Amino acid sequence: MTRPTIVAIGGHSLLDPDQPTIIENQVAVTARAMAPVADLVASGQPVILVHGNGPQAGWMQLRSVLSREHLHEVPLDTIVANTQGSLGYMIQRTLREALRQRGVMTPIATLVTEVRVDPADQAFEEPTKPIGNFYTDEEAHLLSEEFGWLMVADSRRGYRRVVASPSPVEIVQLDVVEQLLDAGSVVICCGGGGVPVMRDKAGHIRGMEAVIDKDRVAALLAVELQAPRLVITTGVETVFTHFGTPKQAPLRETHVEEIRALARKGHFPPGSMRPKMEASVYYLNRVDGEAIVCSPDNLTEALARASGTRIIRTTA
């Protein structure tokens, strides 16, 4: 079995906060993010890409709600599938061009991937996954009143809508991922955490109204494939302790027990860095590999231990 590097790309890290979120700009940011991935592929390393979709899924849902007087509303599982197609298209297109510039013709495949969840998961009772734009207090109140959205403060940057985020249980197309990987393809899969589905008593797959965290599903994928490395890219260069305070400090080299201790002290905000740390711990408890958290632009440096945060199972 091919053992790939799993690279999980945050939805926000494919956006430039200083530029309008038009497709043209999104493609340009994605192209920059794919340059170090192309270097990794060109080195001969098998690669699987998993991407987030928090902002993009939120935009699609807002469009659906605003147009409901004219068109049917679109459920979250279908919205996730839509983002798998649109973001997968941008990623494969820009990665293919970056590989072409390097004289590499590795095939790339984007796979619409379903991920099974447990319909009894407590997450359906306690939504925690932020999606969409950041809003002011006043805007959040208006959206909550008009559409019934649950809005919460997110990482000191404003208010966002939160939806159910159940834990991934099974990657339905795992066998297809393995076939594509063994055939030498770069695989883009489990986009947006995967399309959330359940199996009913008759074994039929049904869509669920939820968004799965892409870091958690990337960790599950890394465990299933016994990947030697899980890389999670995000909008910051490294993990920080005391994030957003005068005591903020980068965390460069660490291990599972230290991450657990820092989490207990509240260093990793929910909906932001906490899922990345939980995913890293989940993976390292099951695979003796390394987890790396870095910005997309610093992927090459992070793999060389010159940037980012590297987490291992133990220091012993």
Side-chain angles (χ1 to χ4, degrees):
M1 180 178 71
T2 304
R3 299 182 68 205
T5 290
I6 310 290
V7 181
I9 305 166
H12 276 287
S13 65
L14 297 179
L15 304 171
D16 185 338
D18 298 322
Q19 296 291 331
T21 54
I22 59 174
I23 296 299
E24 213 176 305
N25 291 339
Q26 292 183 52
V27 171
V29 175
T30 303
R32 291 199 298 272
M34 287 303 105
V37 175
D39 290 336
L40 184 60
V41 175
S43 73
Q45 174 66 48
V47 174
I48 291 180
L49 297 174
V50 176
H51 62 80
N53 72 343
Q56 298 84 357
W59 300 338
M60 286 188 178
Q61 187 159 66
L62 182 58
R63 288 192 191 103
S64 178
V65 169
L66 291 175
S67 63
R68 61 184 174 181
E69 297 299 321
H70 306 282
L71 295 168
H72 64 280
E73 289 191 50
V74 182
L76 270 176
D77 59 318
T78 302
I79 285 174
V80 173
N82 285 340
T83 63
Q84 287 190 357
S86 59
L87 289 172
Y89 162 60
M90 282 198 295
I91 291 169
Q92 72 180 23
R93 172 180 152 194
T94 53
L95 178 57
R96 182 174 59 239
E97 178 60 21
L99 289 172
R100 188 189 67 81
Q101 292 171 359
R102 290 160 176 75
V104 177
M105 303 303 291
T106 303
I108 307 168
T110 296
L111 180 64
V112 175
T113 321
E114 298 156 297
V115 174
R116 186 170 64 84
V117 300
D118 182 354
D121 193 307
Q122 185 65 25
F124 289 105
E125 302 297 324
E126 301 175 2
T128 59
K129 176 66 175 175
I131 64 172
N133 289 338
F134 290 93
Y135 298 99
T136 65
D137 187 15
E138 183 180 356
E139 290 170 333
H141 179 74
L142 290 172
L143 287 166
S144 180
E145 286 288 314
E146 186 171 358
F147 302 129
W149 290 0
L150 177 60
M151 309 292 290
V152 299
D154 180 25
S155 301
R156 305 180 181 91
R157 291 175 287 179
Y159 288 80
R160 295 176 77 193
R161 186 189 180 197
V162 290
V163 299
S165 183
S167 297
V169 174
E170 174 195 4
I171 298 166
V172 177
Q173 284 80 22
L174 181 63
D175 58 339
V176 182
V177 173
E178 291 176 319
Q179 291 167 25
L180 290 168
L181 193 63
D182 289 341
S185 295
V186 174
V187 185
I188 304 166
C189 66
C190 299
V195 180
V197 299
M198 62 163 285
R199 289 189 192 273
D200 62 22
K201 291 180 179 179
H204 303 302
I205 283 182
R206 311 287 186 191
M208 298 292 288
E209 189 74 3
V211 174
I212 303 168
D213 186 85
K214 69 98 178 40
D215 299 318
R216 290 191 173 104
V217 81
L220 175 60
L221 183 64
V223 170
E224 293 287 353
L225 297 176
Q226 291 294 290
R229 183 185 295 127
L230 170 64
V231 182
I232 300 174
T233 72
T234 185
V236 293
E237 180 185 341
T238 184
V239 178
F240 292 94
T241 57
H242 302 286
F243 182 70
T245 74
K247 294 183 178 180
Q248 177 174 304
L251 188 64
R252 297 292 185 184
E253 296 271 343
T254 184
H255 54 88
V256 166
E257 282 307 315
E258 184 177 16
I259 291 296
R260 285 177 173 151
L262 290 169
R264 286 193 293 269
K265 294 177 181 178
H267 284 276
F268 309 127
S272 179
M273 193 56 72
R274 184 184 297 176
K276 296 168 180 55
M277 296 298 95
E278 290 175 346
S280 298
V281 169
Y282 176 90
Y283 160 68
L284 290 169
N285 279 340
R286 293 159 178 81
V287 179
D288 191 11
E290 63 177 354
I292 294 171
V293 179
C294 64
S295 69
D297 293 342
N298 291 337
L299 174 61
T300 301
E301 292 83 355
L303 293 176
R305 302 189 187 181
S307 182
T309 297
R310 177 175 178 263
I311 310 168
I312 57 175
R313 179 181 292 182
T314 178
T315 57

